Amino acid sequence: MTTVFKFGGASVKDADAIRHLTPLIEAHKERPLVVVISAMGKTTNALEALLADARDDSRGEDYRERFASLKASHREVADALFGDDADSLKARLDTLFDELDEQHRRHRDSPYPEHYDQTVCYGELLSTTLVAEWLNRQGVETEWLDARELIITDGQHQNANLDWSATTDAIRKRAGGDDRVLLTQGFIGGTPGGVSTTLGREGSDFSAAIFAHCLDAAEVVIWKDVPGLFNADPRRFDNAVQLKRLSYAETIELAWHGAKVIHPKTLGPLKQKAIPLTVRSFETPEAPPSVIDADTRFDAEHPSCILRDDQVLLEVKPKDFSFMDEPRQHDILGRLVENGVHANLIDGGAMQITLCCDNKPERLESLIESLKDDYEVTRQDELTLLTVRYPCQGMLDALSEGRETLAERRNATTTQRLFRTEECPETWHLPD
Ligand code: ASP
Ligand code: MG
């Protein structure tokens, strides 16, 4: 049975990290083994910044500096792993960098999303080229596959939609029954015409799920720098605990509310085929992992807290003192759709609707412009949204103490409260 491993940016961030992959992969003897890898460390962020430089005439110097530093950092890893003995690999990396530069020249006047996909995809092409060479030299027979020929999508750049049937055919034809390690890129795909696309930031988890679904895999393992999923972000809560068992549905809820655990699109394809997802630490592979499957028994065992910063609160009222009835709600939500704005919280009363959204300036501004034609709109910035799944008695009061709640939404399983960020603590603590 097929297994799919996914390694994120942190697990391939430098030469040492890449060295650590070998024993993890060697320990898994069964084949086929598909290994999906992200761009090294923060490469995708760097490529996004490079893209901004490339599109701005006045930033030619910045572009060249950033390009050189990206090239140097990949070269450094190659040097550390292979020393002088890697001319052909280094030539391949150089070719990828030449292509990247060429794509920037070619697409600088293309629409941003298209330019994005033709260039940001190089992060994964570079990392997998390095890792494939490394594994082969370690005696782990590895075949490098170009995900752009296997993950077949439409042309909706930066958030491409999968053509499941073409993808299944391509993956089964190429990857079924191979007894080598099949190494490929997360996050990226391609149209049937060969144009590069991407699946959305953090999309490598989704890529792993696509491979698993198409190959009827026995398991997906996501290797992270933490031993699994937690009931709150351990960097922001000083007493977060690991969730050892969780259902697909609950994991989707957590991801949907903004927990940076797993890309929300990942769970659907796994659930359909009842493929369990295991989240393990590449630093402590022997530590008990988190396992996600169809079993819902453990979902409410621990309350979970999720924070979203940089939130904007919009209060929308009809100008004519009329009610916020269904046609008006429909109208307002329609404008969110038109402007590509997602509301993290929606609440309302007789004469107003309250929305809380991520601060994505361009989209938000055009939404507000459009609303202002027909409604009174007030806006408040620099807010933090706290979402609690399965809150226990007294927990919300303890978490809200000393802070004004600007908006709240509550149902049987979930409570959301919106606070001013400046009133929130640096480090949060889950009440006992
Ligand atoms: N490299 C991409 C990103 O940083 C995809 C991923 O890591 O999942 O968003
Ligand atoms: Mg990443």
Side-chain angles (χ1 to χ4, degrees):
M1 286 277 263
T2 307
T3 306
V4 179
F5 279 5
K6 183 255 168 174
F7 291 97
S11 48
V12 289
K13 70 175 194 296
D14 53 25
D16 260 349
I18 293 174
R19 287 192 188 98
H20 278 115
L21 299 188
T22 320
L24 301 177
I25 291 174
E26 267 179 340
H28 186 88
K29 301 285 181 228
E30 268 178 61
R31 296 289 180 268
L33 173 61
V34 177
V35 178
V36 174
I37 290 191
S38 298
M40 289 171 51
K42 302 274 175 240
T43 301
T44 305
N45 293 352
L47 284 164
E48 287 183 349
L50 185 70
L51 172 67
D53 291 342
R55 291 177 77 78
D56 185 338
D57 281 334
S58 69
R59 278 155 53 181
E61 182 84 6
D62 297 333
Y63 174 84
R64 279 184 293 279
E65 272 175 26
R66 207 184 291 280
F67 186 88
S69 113
L70 210 55
K71 194 168 171 178
S73 67
H74 283 80
R75 188 49 101 107
E76 217 174 273
V77 175
D79 283 337
L81 290 174
F82 311 112
D84 292 337
D85 174 29
D87 288 348
S88 86
L89 169 75
K90 286 176 191 166
R92 269 182 284 142
L93 295 180
D94 285 351
T95 305
L96 287 170
F97 274 104
D98 290 346
E99 280 176 33
L100 170 62
D101 199 26
E102 167 60 22
Q103 293 290 352
H104 274 306
R105 267 196 298 276
R106 192 180 300 164
H107 287 285
R108 48 170 308 153
D109 296 320
S110 305
Y112 177 88
E114 188 185 334
H115 187 174
Y116 184 103
D117 283 358
Q118 306 324 302
T119 54
V120 174
C121 63
Y122 279 86
E124 272 71 13
L125 295 171
L126 288 160
S127 66
T128 49
T129 300
L130 272 164
V131 173
E133 178 79 14
W134 169 253
L135 291 174
N136 275 313
R137 289 202 190 201
Q138 296 301 300
V140 181
E141 257 198 279
T142 303
E143 168 85 347
W144 183 92
L145 300 178
D146 189 335
R148 296 172 300 176
E149 294 166 7
L150 302 174
I151 304 271
I152 311 299
T153 71
D154 65 4
Q156 189 178 314
H157 289 292
Q158 287 192 278
N159 192 17
N161 299 296
L162 206 67
D163 177 339
W164 276 102
S165 127
T167 300
T168 307
D169 287 349
I171 289 181
R172 289 202 178 149
K173 206 154 117 205
R174 194 64 194 77
D178 203 314
D179 56 8
R180 290 167 297 184
V181 170
L182 300 170
L183 182 90
T184 192
Q185 306 79 37
F187 177 55
I188 72 176
T191 66
V195 177
S196 304
T197 55
T198 58
L199 305 172
R201 285 302 306 264
E202 305 302 325
S204 295
D205 294 341
F206 181 38
S207 304
I210 296 168
F211 277 95
H213 180 97
C214 294
L215 294 169
D216 294 316
E219 185 188 22
V220 174
V221 182
I222 295 187
W223 295 92
K224 279 182 168 288
D225 51 2
V226 287
L229 307 185
F230 284 76
N231 71 335
D233 182 346
R235 286 164 301 194
R236 305 197 59 184
F237 286 78
D238 60 9
N239 58 344
V241 296
Q242 190 186 339
L243 302 168
K244 302 246 167 64
R245 295 291 307 271
L246 217 56
S247 70
Y248 298 117
E250 183 59 19
T251 312
I252 292 176
E253 285 290 340
L254 296 179
W256 169 259
H257 285 297
K260 303 237 168 6
V261 284
I262 283 161
H263 192 290
K265 283 189 194 165
T266 310
L267 284 311
L270 299 181
K271 181 174 188 286
Q272 276 175 26
K273 296 219 172 163
I275 301 168
L277 171 66
T278 304
V279 182
R280 283 186 182 280
S281 160
F282 56 81
E283 282 161 0
T284 51
E286 62 291 346
S290 297
V291 178
I292 299 157
D293 58 19
D295 194 338
T296 56
R297 277 177 303 163
F298 308 95
D299 287 349
E301 207 167 50
H302 298 282
S304 292
C305 287
I306 301 145
L307 294 169
R308 275 189 196 267
D309 290 324
D310 206 10
Q311 297 296 292
V312 178
L313 176 66
L314 299 179
E315 275 175 350
V316 186
K317 296 179 182 164
K319 278 183 176 163
D320 56 4
F321 214 67
S322 59
F323 297 129
M324 190 52 79
D325 52 9
E326 281 77 4
R328 289 205 183 262
Q329 293 181 21
H330 182 254
D331 175 49
I332 291 169
L333 295 181
R335 295 185 201 207
L336 261 77
V337 176
E338 274 162 30
N339 289 284
V341 175
H342 167 73
N344 298 318
L345 176 155
I346 303 178
D347 197 20
M351 286 189 296
Q352 71 166 48
I353 190 161
T354 305
L355 305 165
C356 166
C357 314
D358 291 339
N359 187 9
K360 295 198 176 131
E362 278 160 34
R363 295 176 181 199
L364 213 52
E365 245 95 86
S366 76
L367 169 69
I368 293 171
E369 276 309 301
S370 139
L371 287 170
K372 274 191 171 160
D373 292 340
D374 303 296
Y375 302 92
E376 270 175 32
V377 184
T378 57
R379 162 181 186 155
Q380 214 173 328
D381 279 74
E382 290 176 39
L383 308 175
T384 294
L385 179 66
L386 169 72
T387 301
V388 187
R389 293 278 298 161
Y390 303 108
C392 49
Q393 196 74 34
M395 190 172 175
L396 284 154
D397 288 341
L399 283 166
S400 313
E401 209 179 289
R403 283 177 274 296
E404 185 186 346
T405 299
L406 303 174
E408 181 180 88
R409 173 119 186 113
R410 186 191 288 245
N411 64 28
T413 54
T414 311
T415 300
Q416 296 181 288
R417 281 188 183 176
L418 190 65
F419 305 118
R420 286 185 196 87
T421 303
E422 60 174 20
E423 292 178 2
C424 293
E426 188 78 26
T427 306
W428 293 71
H429 187 78
L430 294 164
D432 309 315

